[in-house]
Amino acid sequence: MAIVKALLAPSILAADFTTLGDQISQAEAAGANRIHIDVMDGQFVPNISFGIPVIQSIRKATKLCFETHLMINTPDNLLDAFAHAGSDSLIVHAENTPHLHRTIQHIKGLGKKAGVALNPATPLVVLEEILPKLDLVLIMTVNPGFGGQKFLPETLDKIRRLSAIIKQKNLAIEIEVDGGIDAQTAPLVVTAGAGVLVAGSAIFGDKGGIDFATKKILSSIV
Ligand code: DX5
Ligand code: ZN
């Protein structure tokens, strides 16, 4: 069997919420590795998605790792609630988390994996002091807030530079990418150094169905 070069994390933001549990099961059966959960507050990003009750509910649908991408202001106030709802990893944004060190300590204290997301305009240097404490860096490959946006190719160099820093420091940190990932862009980000790919509309919006779409992306990165 061909070796797939990265993990795939379908974003349920693009799913049909009338059959959410079933859609997650379909993605899992097709080979998805994690479930990406986009929480938006209408403040940090110009859109509102869903929150804690939805995570609690879908926790019953799968044993796959839940990574919760918190696009919300003052995430510190809700870390415990998102952890207890069933998240396995919590991803906060560097742009609105002034005490990042404390926030990461808080997440680790909850026994969860800690990730930091960077918007396209945020430089890697903001992570310089905190990098060894992270499990994951999420490089936004679109401006956060909406699914279905076009991949920003200028983020490829940022992925390459982060990959080089992680290798040079000999750290075990995952590089995840989020936004506009499909069977065309997946090989580009994997070649640049991404190890986990988030995909929403390319999986849940494909007319061919979830199984077909998931396998199409996975087979683009073998
Ligand atoms: C964007 C979200 C993404 C989004 C990706 O703010 O963080 O996870 O769901 O959607 P697609 O894959 O459709 O670009
Ligand atoms: Zn996301």
Side-chain angles (χ1 to χ4, degrees):
M1 209 175 120
I3 296 175
V4 180
K5 294 184 189 135
L7 302 176
L8 186 60
S11 161
I12 58 166
L13 187 66
D16 177 351
F17 296 137
T18 60
T19 58
L20 189 50
D22 179 57
Q23 300 230 321
I24 290 170
S25 302
Q26 284 186 52
E28 179 174 7
N33 306 96
R34 302 179 182 175
I35 300 299
H36 185 84
I37 299 171
D38 287 306
V39 179
M40 303 179 181
D41 66 352
Q43 301 291 324
F44 177 61
V45 291
N47 195 11
I48 294 178
S49 57
F50 44 73
I52 291 152
V54 171
I55 299 175
Q56 277 171 337
S57 173
I58 59 172
R59 189 60 283 186
K60 299 189 282 285
T62 179
K63 289 199 165 48
L64 285 184
C65 168
F66 275 6
E67 50 178 41
T68 302
H69 178 191
L70 293 169
M71 288 165 275
I72 60 173
N73 283 335
T74 55
D76 299 272
N77 298 344
L78 288 164
L79 292 174
D80 293 52
F82 278 107
H84 296 145
S87 307
D88 300 290
S89 70
L90 294 164
I91 302 169
V92 296
H93 268 262
E95 296 83 6
N96 65 345
T97 311
H99 306 289
L100 204 45
H101 189 281
R102 181 185 290 147
T103 303
I104 298 306
Q105 277 183 326
H106 187 162
I107 295 172
K108 297 279 188 158
L110 290 164
K112 305 299 174 185
K113 296 214 161 159
V116 175
L118 298 182
N119 286 338
T122 306
L124 292 174
V125 70
V126 302
L127 297 182
E128 193 170 327
E129 306 300 329
I130 197 77
L131 204 55
K133 301 207 180 302
L134 303 184
D135 297 298
L136 178 145
V137 176
L138 180 64
I139 299 290
M140 292 306 303
T141 44
V142 298
N143 286 293
F146 302 94
Q149 301 182 82
K150 207 169 162 331
F151 175 78
L152 296 170
E154 58 267 43
T155 57
L156 285 170
D157 189 55
K158 195 177 186 179
I159 300 164
R160 277 193 286 270
R161 282 183 280 120
L162 176 60
S163 177
I165 292 167
I166 289 171
K167 282 201 186 98
Q168 188 246 328
K169 292 184 187 284
N170 203 17
L171 297 168
I173 302 173
E174 291 182 312
I175 301 178
E176 183 170 45
V177 291
D178 187 3
I181 303 299
D182 57 21
Q184 278 71 50
T185 54
L188 306 179
V189 291
V190 169
T191 303
V196 190
L197 315 185
V198 177
S201 32
I203 288 180
F204 296 106
D206 192 307
K207 287 195 182 68
I210 294 168
D211 182 70
F212 170 77
T214 303
K215 288 176 178 158
K216 186 163 62 176
I217 298 176
L218 289 172
S219 63
S220 77
I221 51 169
V222 291

